[in-house]
Amino acid sequence: MRKFSISDIEGLIGIKAHTIRAWEVRYNLVPPKRTATNIRFYNEEDLRTLLNIVALNENGYKISKIARMDRAVISDLVGQLKNELNPESLQMIGLCKATIAFDEPEFVKVMNTCIVEMGLTKTMDLVIFPFMKKIGMLWQTGSIDPAHEHFASNLIRERIIIEINKVGQPKRSKMKKFLLFLPEAEMHENGLLFARYLLKSRGHDSLYLGLETPYSDLKKVADSYRPDFAFTVLTSLNLGKNVNKIIGKVMDHLNVPLLVAGSLISEFDILVQDRLTPLKNVRDMTDFLEYL
């Protein structure tokens, strides 16, 4: 069973370490285990319990009251909160627990419930993108394994493709053409797939090149396809502060307006350039298409 330090727990549940320690001291709430050398740690069951405690606390339950409940009661109450306050945070917690346990049926169940209740666009905006950002940061800091991120990403990818295939062929009279691609070294595809869904659902055409498209291929494809816009997504933390350099290199190989989305666009200052439209969130994407 995986062991977590208090800093790991802090990142996974979104509660500061000193608060977790205060819960332990004041209420004996989820006390950590200790190794043979007296190092404190939490196991997966502790993590699931703490995630449930956070869910209850965010929905109005006082910690003093939660501390008097056993773990089974806490779990049952979280299940009952499904349609009550702050459902997005509950779904986020559900996805985190399923990811940590590599529980595919539960992950799919939570994701499907979100899509049925909110639709894909709102689910991506309020649940999936914040969840994936959190998972990516935890991967980078070593709090979870790369396999956890791959597990979640692939299940999300499969569901977005299903939603894309549900949409009929474009029927818009003034249809625009979009060239969709990820540049070299960018392998996080779900944001680009979601863009394809948005475009198709709004009656536009797109040519999807996928991840790690060679820069040298962009001009050739654009000359053949003749898009009205090019669209890319920058998400990988490995790209870091090179984001403006990457955008510039992409634009050097294209002569059409470029739309750039992804978490890096909201985190860094993007240099203003002609033909460049940064899209910092899902609302920016939907607004752009609304007034296109």
Side-chain angles (χ1 to χ4, degrees):
M1 182 175 286
R2 186 175 175 83
K3 297 179 180 179
F4 301 93
S5 68
I6 196 165
S7 61
D8 293 335
I9 295 294
E10 180 181 47
L12 286 162
I13 71 174
I15 299 295
K16 295 295 184 182
H18 64 80
T19 300
I20 300 170
R21 290 195 183 98
W23 291 352
E24 176 195 345
V25 172
R26 187 173 301 177
Y27 303 111
N28 195 34
L29 197 60
V30 194
K33 281 71 176 169
R34 291 184 181 272
T35 66
T37 54
N38 208 34
I39 297 175
R40 295 157 56 99
F41 73 92
Y42 299 84
N43 62 25
E44 292 178 4
E45 182 60 33
D46 296 331
L47 174 58
R48 284 191 287 271
T49 298
L50 284 164
L51 285 166
N52 285 336
I53 289 169
V54 171
L56 292 180
N57 187 233
E58 288 183 348
N59 284 276
Y61 286 79
K62 293 182 178 180
I63 291 297
S64 57
K65 182 176 180 179
I66 298 171
R68 295 195 293 270
M69 304 175 185
D70 63 35
R71 294 189 176 193
V73 172
I74 292 172
S75 181
D76 288 343
L77 281 173
V78 170
Q80 294 171 23
L81 284 173
K82 176 184 171 184
N83 295 315
E84 296 181 13
L85 298 176
N86 202 7
E88 291 82 18
S89 69
L90 291 174
Q91 305 294 16
M92 277 267 290
I93 288 170
L95 291 177
C96 283
K97 289 196 289 186
T99 298
I100 292 163
F102 293 113
D103 188 341
E104 180 173 338
E106 181 62 21
F107 191 101
V108 171
K109 177 183 176 182
V110 172
M111 184 166 52
N112 289 352
T113 298
C114 289
I115 293 172
V116 168
E117 295 179 352
M118 297 188 288
L120 181 63
T121 299
K122 196 171 180 180
T123 296
M124 295 297 294
D125 185 22
L126 299 179
V127 180
I128 298 298
F129 283 142
F131 164 73
M132 289 308 300
K133 182 177 180 179
K134 184 182 188 72
I135 289 296
M137 293 177 65
L138 292 171
W139 174 14
Q140 291 291 320
T141 59
S143 296
I144 61 172
D145 298 325
H148 288 99
E149 194 272 346
H150 294 173
F151 165 83
S153 292
N154 284 323
L155 291 176
I156 293 167
R157 180 181 182 276
E158 289 176 4
R159 185 52 196 257
I160 297 173
I161 290 172
I162 289 172
E163 296 300 314
I164 290 171
N165 291 333
K166 288 181 181 178
V167 180
Q169 292 301 312
K171 298 177 181 179
R172 192 183 180 105
S173 58
K174 295 183 179 179
M175 179 183 69
K176 298 295 184 180
K177 298 171 68 176
F178 289 77
L179 176 62
L180 303 181
F181 67 95
L182 297 181
E184 295 175 12
E186 178 59 81
M187 299 181 66
H188 292 79
E189 192 178 9
N190 287 339
L192 194 69
L193 281 169
F194 177 60
R196 181 169 172 82
Y197 167 81
L198 287 178
L199 292 169
K200 190 174 181 183
S201 65
R202 285 158 175 76
H204 297 295
D205 187 39
S206 63
L207 178 62
Y208 192 88
L209 300 182
L211 52 81
E212 292 196 292
T213 304
Y215 292 109
S216 58
D217 285 355
L218 291 176
K219 187 177 186 306
K220 298 175 186 176
V221 177
D223 287 345
S224 174
Y225 179 59
R226 297 187 179 279
D228 297 290
F229 299 92
F231 191 112
T232 194
V233 180
L234 301 178
T235 303
S236 176
L237 294 176
N238 293 325
L239 300 178
K241 296 180 180 180
N242 293 323
V243 59
N244 282 298
K245 182 178 179 180
I246 293 167
I247 291 172
K249 194 167 184 178
V250 168
M251 296 188 72
D252 287 343
H253 290 81
L254 289 170
N255 58 2
V256 297
L258 176 66
L259 310 176
V260 185
S263 59
L264 294 184
I265 303 305
S266 62
E267 294 171 8
F268 292 94
D269 293 328
I270 305 303
L271 299 178
V272 177
Q273 300 184 52
D274 291 336
R275 298 189 290 111
L276 176 65
T277 302
L279 303 172
K280 294 186 176 183
N281 49 48
V282 172
R283 175 60 65 85
D284 283 355
M285 294 171 67
T286 55
D287 284 351
F288 180 88
L289 296 176
E290 182 72 23
Y291 296 105
L292 189 62

